[in-house]
Amino acid sequence: MSTVRGARERARLEVTAAIKDEARRRLAAEGAAKLSLRAVARELGMVSSALYRYFPSRDELLTALIIDAYDSVGVVAETADAVSLAACAAPRPRWIAVCGAVRAWALAHPHEYALIYGSPVPGYSAPADTIGPASRVANVLIGILRSAHEGRGLSLPPLPAALRSEADRMTADFAVGLPPEVTAALVAAWAQLVGLISFELFGQFNRVVEERDAFFAHAVGRLAHEVGLPAV
């Protein structure tokens, strides 16, 4: 019986992977808003009722694709940081390596990047299942800043009084151990990093920035400075 169950499980995993692969192809061709279970089933030669046994709704399929994308870029960020740590890199080079790895992933997976960092899909609301995967890249950056704070320290100007309580809340929610000034700077830097990658990926840098690699390296170096990471 265990052999039969194992074969069934392998078959289910293979069909699930095929469904997601076809869904990604349709994302690339038509965008997330037009993703249709019936169209995916048709391309795979399945009847819709069979596909619904794997993904009961379009939203469940979208959620699976979103989680896969977040996990994929998360692994890339975590690996880049691990490699930097193994080379005894200081926090600033670690920061720059992770930012560069996220950009490289985005350029190699533009449609998956657009799914998680682009325009919201009309009618779709992401469930709590996506929160953990969505936090992986940010957690790497938070870890780098914690290392710096516990080592040489991070120096940033005081927060405006109007922002203090919000920065305290954000720190308590997801960046325990960092000074509130650093948390606020990190959130701003994260938004700018996503903006830099999005501008490049979606064409806003066309006829504006030609030397993209050099520009990105300069920009993430500035972001490192803005979160308090020393130059040396």
Side-chain angles (χ1 to χ4, degrees), residues 16-224:
T16 299
I19 291 169
K20 291 196 287 187
D21 285 345
E22 178 57 33
R24 291 187 189 99
R25 283 191 286 271
R26 301 200 71 80
L27 287 180
E30 301 178 342
K34 294 185 178 179
L35 183 62
S36 161
L37 290 182
R38 290 183 180 275
V40 171
R42 183 172 59 250
E43 290 299 320
L44 292 175
M46 299 173 64
V47 295
S48 299
S49 58
L51 190 145
Y52 292 144
R53 291 199 292 270
Y54 295 86
F55 296 100
S57 69
R58 181 209 67 160
D59 284 5
E60 291 197 29
L61 177 54
L62 268 178
T63 295
L65 298 177
I66 288 168
I67 289 173
D68 282 355
Y70 277 132
D71 280 337
S72 178
V73 68
V75 167
V76 164
E78 291 159 2
T79 301
D81 191 39
V83 169
S84 295
L85 271 174
C88 300
R92 183 185 177 93
R94 288 169 59 193
W95 171 279
I96 291 171
V98 170
C99 291
V102 172
R103 172 184 178 241
W105 179 88
L107 295 177
H109 304 86
H111 305 293
E112 291 171 75
Y113 177 90
L115 179 64
I116 56 178
Y117 295 123
S119 299
V121 180
Y124 174 79
S125 179
D129 293 359
T130 61
I131 294 174
S135 303
R136 291 178 70 166
V137 174
N139 285 339
V140 174
L141 298 177
I142 290 169
I144 292 170
L145 294 183
R146 280 204 189 102
S147 294
H149 177 58
E150 293 166 0
R152 295 179 57 183
L154 297 164
S155 179
L156 290 173
L159 288 167
L163 186 57
R164 168 60 63 173
S165 62
E166 177 69 355
D168 287 341
R169 181 198 60 77
M170 291 190 294
T171 299
D173 282 352
F174 57 80
V176 174
L178 290 181
E181 293 82 1
V182 175
T183 304
L186 171 63
V187 173
W190 172 246
Q192 291 174 75
L193 174 62
V194 173
L196 280 167
I197 295 171
S198 296
F199 263 48
E200 180 174 6
L201 200 61
F202 302 144
Q204 283 90 345
F205 279 160
N206 292 349
R207 296 187 296 278
V208 177
V209 178
E210 299 298 333
E211 298 295 334
R212 306 282 174 82
D213 293 347
F215 183 83
F216 184 83
H218 170 74
V220 297
R222 290 299 307 163
L223 293 180

